[in-house]
Amino acid sequence: SVILQFKIKELYHQKEYHMLKLSRLVQHPYDVKVDYYTPLTIEVTNIPPYSDKNYFRLVKSENLIEIGLDTTSYQLTNIILVQASNVSLVEKLSLKNVEMKQGCPVFLDDISFANGLHDLDQSFEVFLSKDKLKIQLIDKEEAFYLVNGRVYLGFSQDERLVTILLLVLKDEEYEDLKESFKL
């Protein structure tokens, strides 16, 4: 039946439609920490640590990334790369030549959370070069970057979050990441 075909098509495309979609921008700086135990933590500085957050998570075998959102505004609160097994050491990572916008994202509230969590059974890839870390959430091209300090969030044409980049890695950050990823 047509309804069944539509449901199958809907399930097939579900992954990409459930990625976080940009709503608007606010201007708040980030605090970035790289270390051996939790490879990458990006905190938005205007959000108190004890505030109510929902976590959008990509979870698959040995991979876990958590993207925290304020429960009422859906503003990004933090990004935590907890564990990554799909890591490639690369010679050079270059940015796409696309539009750059300044700010911190507020996402659409079109994702439902159960007990503060929305888990996607989906892997992601991590690329590490001497001076950059790139987390490829979904396989879509960046149409623009949302720039905030040395953090670049890549968004697709339909304004879905597709990549997270950390630029200007310090030597000790690079070494900590290599050790953390066991490269």
Side-chain angles (χ1 to χ4, degrees):
S1 83
V2 172
I3 292 172
L4 181 61
Q5 286 175 335
F6 179 74
K7 284 287 180 201
I8 290 170
K9 199 178 252 183
E10 192 178 272
L11 283 171
Y12 180 73
H13 291 293
Q14 213 166 19
K15 277 185 190 170
E16 91 184 34
Y17 291 124
H18 277 84
M19 278 310 292
L20 295 167
K21 185 167 177 147
L22 187 63
S23 167
R24 60 191 176 86
L25 301 178
V26 291
Q27 298 300 321
H28 298 295
Y30 298 155
D31 183 29
V32 177
K33 289 184 204 84
V34 170
D35 82 23
Y36 173 79
Y37 298 103
T38 306
L40 177 64
T41 303
I42 300 167
E43 299 276 344
V44 178
T45 57
N46 76 313
I47 305 286
Y50 51 81
S51 70
D52 286 339
K53 298 178 184 103
N54 285 324
Y55 283 95
F56 180 89
R57 306 188 314 175
L58 295 184
V59 184
K60 184 94 172 184
S61 56
E62 303 291 310
N63 290 308
L64 173 60
I65 189 165
E66 299 179 334
I67 301 171
L69 307 176
D70 181 80
T71 53
T72 50
S73 72
Y74 276 67
Q75 179 193 316
L76 176 72
T77 59
N78 59 352
I79 298 171
I80 304 168
L81 177 60
V82 179
Q83 189 175 13
S85 63
N86 251 359
V87 182
S88 302
L89 199 53
V90 295
E91 191 66 37
K92 190 173 184 331
L93 279 170
S94 48
L95 294 173
K96 294 253 181 274
N97 190 11
V98 294
E99 185 183 357
M100 305 275 184
K101 301 177 182 182
Q102 293 285 326
C104 174
V106 176
F107 294 100
L108 286 181
D109 62 357
D110 62 350
I111 291 178
S112 55
F113 292 89
N115 300 321
L117 298 175
H118 180 95
D119 287 351
L120 272 187
D121 179 23
Q122 181 178 317
S123 197
F124 53 88
E125 291 181 281
V126 177
F127 301 92
L128 178 63
S129 73
K130 203 84 171 120
D131 63 341
K132 291 181 191 71
L133 174 71
K134 179 178 183 174
I135 304 166
Q136 183 78 42
L137 302 173
I138 57 174
D139 197 20
K140 277 190 136 185
E141 292 286 312
E142 297 104 331
F144 66 91
Y145 288 113
L146 194 48
V147 178
N148 195 324
R150 59 189 188 130
V151 176
Y152 284 50
L153 301 178
F155 287 85
S156 62
Q157 194 66 48
D158 62 352
E159 299 192 327
R160 303 263 174 210
L161 179 61
V162 295
T163 57
I164 299 163
L165 289 108
L166 178 61
L167 278 57
V168 196
L169 284 181
K170 299 175 189 112
D171 289 344
E172 61 271 14
E173 289 175 329
Y174 173 73
E175 292 304 324
D176 281 349
L177 288 168
K178 263 179 46 176
E179 261 181 63
S180 178
F181 299 144
K182 295 169 183 43
L183 296 174

